[in-house]
Amino acid sequence: MMTYSHDFIPFSIKNQPEGRVIQAVLEAALQAVDPRRAVEQYLQRIGQTLTVAGQGYSLAEYRRVFLVGVGKASVAMAQAVAAILGDSLYKGVIITKNLPEEMPSELGRVEVCRGSHPIPTEESLRSTQRVLDLLEEVEPADLVLCVFSGGGSPLLTRPVQGASLKEIQQLTSELLTCGATIQEMNAIRKHLDQVKGGKLLKAVHGARVITLILSDVIGNPLEIVASGPTVPDPSTFADALRVIQKFDLESRVPVSIQSILQKGVDGHLEETLKPGDPVFNRTQTVLVGSNYQAAQAAAAEASAHGLQALLLTTYLRGEARQTGDMLAALARQIEATNQPLARPACIIAGGETTVTLRGNGRGGRNQEVALGAVEGMAGLKNTCLVTLATDGEDGPTDAAGALVSGSTLRRAQGMGLDALDYLRRNDAYHFFEQIGDLLKTGPTGTNVNDLNFIFAL
Amino acid sequence: MMTYSHDFIPFSIKNQPEGRVIQAVLEAALQAVDPRRAVEQYLQRIGQTLTVAGQGYSLAEYRRVFLVGVGKASVAMAQAVAAILGDSLYKGVIITKNLPEEMPSELGRVEVCRGSHPIPTEESLRSTQRVLDLLEEVEPADLVLCVFSGGGSPLLTRPVQGASLKEIQQLTSELLTCGATIQEMNAIRKHLDQVKGGKLLKAVHGARVITLILSDVIGNPLEIVASGPTVPDPSTFADALRVIQKFDLESRVPVSIQSILQKGVDGHLEETLKPGDPVFNRTQTVLVGSNYQAAQAAAAEASAHGLQALLLTTYLRGEARQTGDMLAALARQIEATNQPLARPACIIAGGETTVTLRGNGRGGRNQEVALGAVEGMAGLKNTCLVTLATDGEDGPTDAAGALVSGSTLRRAQGMGLDALDYLRRNDAYHFFEQIGDLLKTGPTGTNVNDLNFIFAL
């Protein structure tokens, strides 16, 4: 069903029995958050009744059904919705980052547009206009189904009056590198945009709105995924301005942007839509997939293969290399005393780490987690750490992650590669490329953030 | 038996049932590595037979028994050895950092000297001379018992010819702040000292040597604790010089020091004693206590109180604040899904973190782990993270660690304290002092590094 390459297990373990177990566990994780399956779990149709997470809607009561989708998984999510709705789907527009090579036939009535990620461009603006053009047609008696997934914020973008695209681009690029959390980043984005922070609801003319969310954010705060176009926003203009101050961005963010936020603080601009706003009486929002579901499925698959499995956390964050070293500390304890689990064991830890750029190498946070674990894993037997960006795209590379085993350091030394030096230059991609231990799934069509797996077999 | 304050549980939980459980678990950890108990587990005497980790020695075969001890736990370790040996102990000298207020009566035949930590001083040199004076008396037919524990390297110090104390002090202070590991630091120390890296054996005139080690080093490499005065040393002059280069210390470490190391590399100086040296045929070395034993005992005590217990690792390292945030990520998962353990639960993670100093506040690595967890723990119910330096001395403070609960952030905000600001200034001590959640055990007399406990009750 999913279109990624199933031939992603690195060469070094591919033809070994453990390679097959590892492949099975990783595939189970990805399949569990296949956007299509995720949607189908929460959206069913029997005759004229559409059931959304247990709540029933009679399609006969609605004039038409519209579909809006944004995010890296929107093609697959839209495909599932279109298949379920069949002829009842009137029209739709979705915005995604990667267009599929072959457009799924279910999407005949759905226009598929492209936007830019992580910095919005004119393309994002044009595609957003297509969404708004569609919603122009919506009437109060219609039903609007929304599917939102990770990466949506720069895809669905319509700056407020007074903020130019160029200014938003400059702002975004500062926010991406200053160390702000996604919550902090989105507090600002929402207050400079006409369709984020619940404000897309202003364009639906009072129609009922059902939103399905595939979350790529730690802890699954629904208002954060794709900047919550249809979800109540607790953040304020004051919060947004505080983020600028917290990261000392006053001199790096355009003055016009800051003065918009200040005008908002002074009460001269409309806030985002807040919890309790009556508009939300006509909305339902459902989390259909998350890092946790993927991690759980991986644990179940590991158990099915006779491994002891432990879901450690889905809240990992912090510096990537440190996370790698910490995971290696767990692997070492298994080797030393069979704790926290006896072999054969699999520990699963999900979340989203960050990389503080020091060098100008190539890599992504998942590859850097792996590189950060090379020294700590050295010498361990039948043990490896596998890192995986569930969207298949780790940083600006064609890899999803990498594999580190107890022999990685030795093999690297044999090839004259200094792991520490590659780490210093944030060049994990070239390290693992030469070792032959990159994971290359290609774009998976889903996006529930990152997963790390310790296998002690 | 141990002399620390048993009244160390912070005020905020002291009179609550969970306070008693937490106190019991922490005490179990400390008691398990009570140096006296640790020694007694591996050293027994029945009649004239001394049994050391299963190996028997007939005291009748040895003319006299000498005792040498170095490290933060040497008083308690020496006390145990003296009690076991009774009249068979001829004489001893030990060097410690903190002299007990009242000298244990068993130490009548043992001279207790003081040295300086973490930078050696004249006092360390004088005390080291006392050890060497004692060993002057030793003859081949004698038995020398050594007890080494953490913090020993600067206490037992005798620079090689050509290196002055002042130069060693300058070097040590550079090594302590450059980010070098203890392995790297000790590779240098051993090659600039006459009694480290096995070289103390040169002073025992061929007598048999038994060494008992209480380890404060991750993974318990015996040659690292107290710089292994009686243990084979795999490191070389070349390794030592490489550390200087790796951390760009060429301009900050005295030239004379570097030229000594270079002379060694060129083969003009004697190496440390290497594995396989016949001198080690007359030595036995036993690990009597470590972080793992403390962690295991804590897990057992938690189980006895009806908690699910998980020993996560004893290999934790890395930046303290990140470690705190990572431990909070585990606590969040327990709250969300009862994973990796169902409540009531206790997760134990041992090791040694590092603090990269940014500000000039007061604190220690254990307090900084706790401060780094404040935001991640916020809002969790009946959950806390407790950090503990097992020696009772976390950094240059009178606290052993701190407690963070789900309410810490809220309470801090109520008092106008900005946790992030205290973290930025490395001022964990003053944060937790005001909150009232410092742990103050006083010096415990033991030292097996650090322990972190997540309690979800």
Side-chain angles (χ1 to χ4, degrees), chain A residues 292 313-314 317 329 333 339, chain B residues 292 313-314 317 325 329 333 339:
Chain A
Y292 180 70
T313 184
T314 56
R317 57 181 188 182
Q333 194 67 46
Q339 287 165 303
Chain B
Y292 180 70
T313 184
T314 56
R317 57 182 188 181
D325 196 54
Q333 195 66 45
Q339 286 165 302

Side-chain angles (χ1 to χ4, degrees), chain A residues 50-318:
Chain A
L50 192 66
T51 308
V52 185
Q55 188 164 328
Y57 297 86
S58 166
L59 289 174
E61 286 180 21
Y62 295 95
R63 201 167 147 250
R64 296 168 302 180
V65 183
F66 289 80
L67 173 62
V68 170
V70 180
K72 290 187 183 175
S74 55
V75 168
M77 292 179 84
Q79 195 182 348
V81 172
I84 290 165
L85 289 177
D87 281 347
S88 298
L89 177 60
Y90 175 66
K91 254 189 190 178
V93 175
I94 64 172
I95 312 178
T96 185
K97 187 188 165 195
N98 301 301
L99 289 188
E101 285 177 25
E102 203 174 330
M103 202 57 70
S105 59
E106 294 96 334
L107 292 183
R109 298 170 180 210
V110 178
E111 183 185 350
V112 182
C113 307
R114 215 165 61 171
S116 307
H117 181 277
I119 310 264
T121 62
E122 286 289 353
E123 193 175 41
S124 303
L125 266 51
R126 276 196 305 273
S127 298
T128 303
Q129 185 58 53
R130 297 301 299 144
V131 169
L132 293 169
D133 290 345
L134 177 79
L135 294 181
E136 236 352 279
E137 293 186 44
V138 172
E139 294 176 15
D142 293 329
L143 178 64
V144 180
L145 255 158
C146 297
V147 291
F148 296 142
S149 55
S153 297
L155 303 182
L156 187 76
T157 292
R158 188 179 179 85
V160 293
Q161 289 281 343
S164 71
L165 174 62
K166 214 179 138 198
E167 288 166 337
I168 296 291
Q169 289 174 330
Q170 193 182 334
L171 167 78
T172 308
S173 132
E174 291 294 338
L175 288 174
L176 285 169
T177 52
C178 74
T181 65
I182 185 71
Q183 279 79 0
E184 290 168 334
M185 199 177 306
N186 285 4
I188 297 185
R189 282 166 159 170
K190 289 177 180 181
H191 287 89
L192 295 168
D193 199 289
Q194 300 184 45
V195 290
K196 294 177 163 66
K199 286 181 279 185
L200 192 68
L201 292 175
K202 292 186 177 180
V204 301
H205 309 107
R208 180 167 285 279
V209 175
I210 294 167
T211 304
L212 308 181
I213 293 180
L214 186 71
S215 167
D216 71 328
V217 184
I218 286 186
N220 311 316
L222 300 181
E223 75 278 10
I224 300 298
V225 179
S227 290
T230 60
V231 181
D233 174 35
S235 80
T236 63
F237 276 108
D239 291 332
L241 206 54
R242 258 197 297 273
V243 176
I244 303 273
Q245 289 153 1
K246 175 174 171 186
F247 293 97
D248 296 323
L249 298 177
E250 289 95 337
S251 64
R252 309 171 78 168
V253 163
V255 175
S256 53
I257 296 279
Q258 297 183 58
S259 77
I260 291 171
L261 297 178
Q262 186 58 54
K263 260 188 221 162
V265 172
D266 297 341
H268 301 134
L269 293 174
E270 244 182 304
E271 256 294 354
T272 50
L273 297 197
K274 294 285 167 272
D277 191 302
V279 73
F280 296 112
N281 294 341
R282 290 186 57 75
T283 65
Q284 182 188 1
T285 305
V286 181
L287 176 70
V288 299
S290 68
N291 191 271
Y292 180 70
Q293 276 170 275
Q296 269 295 76
E301 184 71 14
S303 295
H305 285 267
L307 277 59
Q308 306 249 27
L310 190 71
L311 193 163
L312 191 66
T313 184
T314 56
Y315 293 89
L316 266 190
R317 57 181 188 182

Side-chain angles (χ1 to χ4, degrees), chain A residues 246 292 296 310-315 317-319 322 325-326 329-330 332-333 336-337 339-340 375-376 420, chain B residues 246 292 296 310-315 317-319 322 325-326 329-330 332-333 336-337 339-340 375-376 420:
Chain A
K246 175 174 171 186
Y292 180 70
Q296 269 295 76
L310 190 71
L311 193 163
L312 191 66
T313 184
T314 56
Y315 293 89
R317 57 181 188 182
E319 190 68 27
Q322 290 256 0
D325 195 55
M326 187 273 294
L330 269 64
R332 292 208 88 79
Q333 194 67 46
T337 66
Q339 287 165 303
E375 196 232 316
L420 216 59
Chain B
K246 174 173 172 188
Y292 180 70
Q296 268 295 76
L310 191 71
L311 193 162
L312 191 67
T313 184
T314 56
Y315 293 88
R317 57 182 188 181
E319 191 68 28
Q322 291 255 1
D325 196 54
M326 186 272 295
L330 270 64
R332 293 208 87 80
Q333 195 66 45
T337 66
Q339 286 165 302
E375 197 231 316
L420 216 59

Side-chain angles (χ1 to χ4, degrees), chain B residues 108-155:
Chain B
R109 293 167 184 213
V110 178
E111 184 185 349
V112 182
C113 307
R114 216 166 60 173
S116 307
H117 182 278
I119 311 266
T121 60
E122 287 288 352
E123 194 176 38
S124 303
L125 266 52
R126 274 197 305 274
S127 298
T128 303
Q129 186 57 53
R130 296 302 298 146
V131 169
L132 293 169
D133 290 345
L134 176 80
L135 295 180
E136 236 353 277
E137 293 184 47
V138 171
E139 294 176 16
D142 293 329
L143 178 65
V144 180
L145 256 157
C146 296
V147 291
F148 296 142
S149 55
S153 297
L155 304 181

Side-chain angles (χ1 to χ4, degrees), chain B residues 272-294:
Chain B
T272 50
L273 297 196
K274 293 285 166 276
D277 191 303
V279 73
F280 295 112
N281 296 341
R282 291 185 56 74
T283 65
Q284 183 189 0
T285 305
V286 181
L287 175 70
V288 299
S290 68
N291 190 272
Y292 180 70
Q293 278 171 275

Side-chain angles (χ1 to χ4, degrees), chain B residues 405-425:
Chain B
S405 76
S407 69
T408 302
L409 185 65
R410 186 171 42 70
R411 284 190 292 139
Q413 286 168 342
M415 296 169 68
L417 306 178
D418 178 354
L420 216 59
D421 184 52
Y422 279 84
L423 195 54
R424 208 172 287 130
R425 293 184 287 107

Side-chain angles (χ1 to χ4, degrees), chain B residues 125-339:
Chain B
L125 266 52
R126 274 197 305 274
S127 298
T128 303
Q129 186 57 53
R130 296 302 298 146
V131 169
L132 293 169
D133 290 345
L134 176 80
L135 295 180
E136 236 353 277
E137 293 184 47
V138 171
E139 294 176 16
D142 293 329
L143 178 65
V144 180
L145 256 157
C146 296
V147 291
F148 296 142
S149 55
S153 297
L155 304 181
L156 187 77
T157 292
R158 188 179 178 86
V160 292
Q161 289 281 341
S164 71
L165 174 63
K166 214 180 139 197
E167 289 165 339
I168 295 291
Q169 289 174 329
Q170 194 182 334
L171 167 78
T172 308
S173 130
E174 291 295 338
L175 288 173
L176 285 170
T177 52
C178 74
T181 64
I182 185 71
Q183 277 79 359
E184 290 168 333
M185 200 178 305
N186 286 3
I188 298 185
R189 281 166 162 170
K190 289 174 180 183
H191 288 88
L192 296 167
D193 199 289
Q194 301 185 44
V195 291
K196 294 176 163 67
K199 287 181 278 185
L200 192 68
L201 293 175
K202 294 186 176 179
V204 303
H205 308 106
R208 180 166 284 280
V209 174
I210 294 166
T211 303
L212 308 181
I213 292 180
L214 186 72
S215 167
D216 70 329
V217 185
I218 286 185
N220 312 317
L222 301 181
E223 75 278 10
I224 299 299
V225 179
S227 291
T230 60
V231 181
D233 175 35
S235 79
T236 64
F237 276 108
D239 292 331
L241 207 56
R242 260 196 297 274
V243 175
I244 303 273
Q245 289 152 1
K246 174 173 172 188
F247 294 96
D248 295 323
L249 298 178
E250 290 95 336
S251 63
R252 308 170 79 168
V253 163
V255 175
S256 53
I257 295 279
Q258 297 184 59
S259 77
I260 291 171
L261 296 178
Q262 187 57 54
K263 260 187 219 161
V265 172
D266 297 342
H268 302 313
L269 294 174
E270 243 180 305
E271 256 295 353
T272 50
L273 297 196
K274 293 285 166 276
D277 191 303
V279 73
F280 295 112
N281 296 341
R282 291 185 56 74
T283 65
Q284 183 189 0
T285 305
V286 181
L287 175 70
V288 299
S290 68
N291 190 272
Y292 180 70
Q293 278 171 275
Q296 268 295 76
E301 183 72 15
S303 296
H305 285 267
L307 277 60
Q308 306 248 28
L310 191 71
L311 193 162
L312 191 67
T313 184
T314 56
Y315 293 88
L316 267 190
R317 57 182 188 181
E319 191 68 28
R321 59 185 65 194
Q322 291 255 1
T323 303
D325 196 54
M326 186 272 295
L327 293 170
L330 270 64
R332 293 208 87 80
Q333 195 66 45
I334 297 177
E335 175 117 332
T337 66
N338 271 327
Q339 286 165 302

